[in-house]
Structure formats: C-alpha cells, structure tokens
Amino acid sequence: MPKMSTSDLKAMLASERANALAAISAARLAEERADAMDYYLGDMSKDMPAQDGRSRAVSTDVADTIEGLMPPLMDIFAGSDEVVRFEPVGPEDEAAAQQETDYVNHVFMQQNPGFMVLYSFIKDALLSKIGIVKVWWEEREEESRETYYDLTDDQFTLLAQAVAESDGAMKIVAHTAHNAG
C-alpha cells in the first residue's frame, strides 16, 4: 500500500473531525428536542425529580408559552387574504404580479391546507427548534368513465362533437344504436 501524503492525511483527519463534531451536535440537538417535548408535556422529572412524600405538581409553562404565542404568530402569517404577495418591478408588471399573488394564495390556502401547514410549521419551530415544510408539485392525469343510455340522435351528435373538439382528451369507447320499436 502506498504511503499517504501529509496533505491527504490532514484532509482525511479534518473530514473525520468535522463528521464527529456534527454527530455530537446532532446528538445534543436531539436531546434538547426530547427535553423540550417533555417540558411541553409538563414532565420536569429529569431536572426536578419529585421526592417521595412530596408534591408531584406539574408546570406547564412551556406549553402555555407556546400556545400563547401561536395566535399572534398565526395572525401575522395567515391573518389576511394574502399569505404571499408578489411585488411588480415596474408598471408593466402590475397585472402579472397581482395574478401571481392571487394564484399562489389560492393554491396555498384553498387547494391545500395552508393554515394547518403554517400552524404545524410554526409550532414545530417553537417546540423543537426546527420547522420543516415539504413542498412539491405533482402533475397527474385522472381518467373517468361516463356511460350514457337512451340518447337521441341529436344528443349523441352533440356528444360526438364535444369529443372531436377535445383534441384527444375524450374518446368514445363504445357505441350501440338501438332501433325504436
């Protein structure tokens, strides 16, 4: 095995040191988060164990503080019709900026549970020092099948015309003609 150069050895040791410090930091953060959850739930036994024969009173100061902060924070972020607003760069951008503002607010608050996303994000940030929101865009096609019975010739003609004008979005799978009588 060839001998490792001094600079390669220093680089490898620096990398290992950084990884070890990151692990220690992550472990410390995980412990702090666990403690925060215990405090939120009123469990102070780690820091203030109850002695035998003494009161086991529970302090909910952490929960009270977090729950007390939630309404004003939610009012700041979700208390108006606009959760987000796009600012125009110039006068020619005003219409587009308003349209973007309306669309993003509609998608966030109407098509998605925007209020609950913000609520859980903010509460997680207060409680565990980090709030994470996963955002993604998903495109999918949904097929539906419709069956029509006893259409008149005019009704079938209108349906066939709509299918023809759909540019392949719709198609007639089967058609059976029945004679009256």
Side-chain angles (χ1 to χ4, degrees):
M1 182 165 147
K3 187 175 179 181
M4 185 182 288
S5 70
T6 304
S7 62
D8 288 344
L9 178 62
K10 284 182 179 180
M12 183 183 77
L13 290 173
S15 173
E16 292 298 322
R17 179 179 182 267
N19 288 341
L21 291 174
I24 291 169
S25 178
R28 188 177 312 125
L29 183 59
E31 186 178 332
E32 289 173 1
R33 287 180 181 162
D35 290 345
M37 182 56 76
D38 288 344
Y39 298 154
Y40 181 81
L41 297 173
D43 181 5
M44 303 286 292
S45 60
K46 180 179 176 184
D47 296 321
M48 299 171 56
Q51 297 174 352
D52 290 336
R54 297 286 184 134
S55 170
R56 297 192 187 279
V58 174
S59 170
T60 58
D61 291 351
V62 174
D64 296 344
T65 301
I66 289 175
E67 296 303 327
L69 285 171
M70 288 305 297
L73 287 172
M74 289 305 296
D75 190 39
I76 290 169
F77 291 103
S80 72
D81 292 338
E82 293 182 345
V83 175
V84 64
R85 181 176 48 226
F86 289 82
E87 294 293 335
V89 176
E92 69 280 358
D93 298 331
E94 289 181 13
Q98 184 60 49
Q99 185 178 19
E100 291 161 352
T101 298
D102 293 342
Y103 179 72
V104 170
N105 282 299
H106 174 75
V107 168
F108 185 70
M109 294 302 277
Q110 304 300 319
Q111 292 181 341
N112 292 286
F115 183 86
M116 291 308 299
V117 168
L118 284 172
Y119 186 90
S120 61
F121 164 72
I122 292 169
K123 191 166 183 176
D124 287 347
L126 291 171
L127 183 57
S128 59
K129 298 185 179 183
I130 188 169
I132 297 173
V133 175
K134 180 178 179 180
V135 179
W136 72 95
W137 185 274
E138 183 176 308
E139 290 186 30
R140 66 175 180 248
E141 291 185 21
E142 292 184 17
E143 273 190 29
S144 64
R145 181 179 210 130
E146 295 180 5
T147 303
Y148 299 95
Y149 295 102
D150 300 325
L151 293 178
T152 65
D153 289 340
D154 291 338
Q155 290 171 326
F156 180 75
T157 303
L158 286 172
L159 181 62
Q161 182 180 357
V163 169
E165 292 173 356
S166 74
D167 293 326
M170 297 188 297
K171 67 180 177 180
I172 296 176
V173 178
H175 173 250
T176 305
H178 294 285
N179 292 332

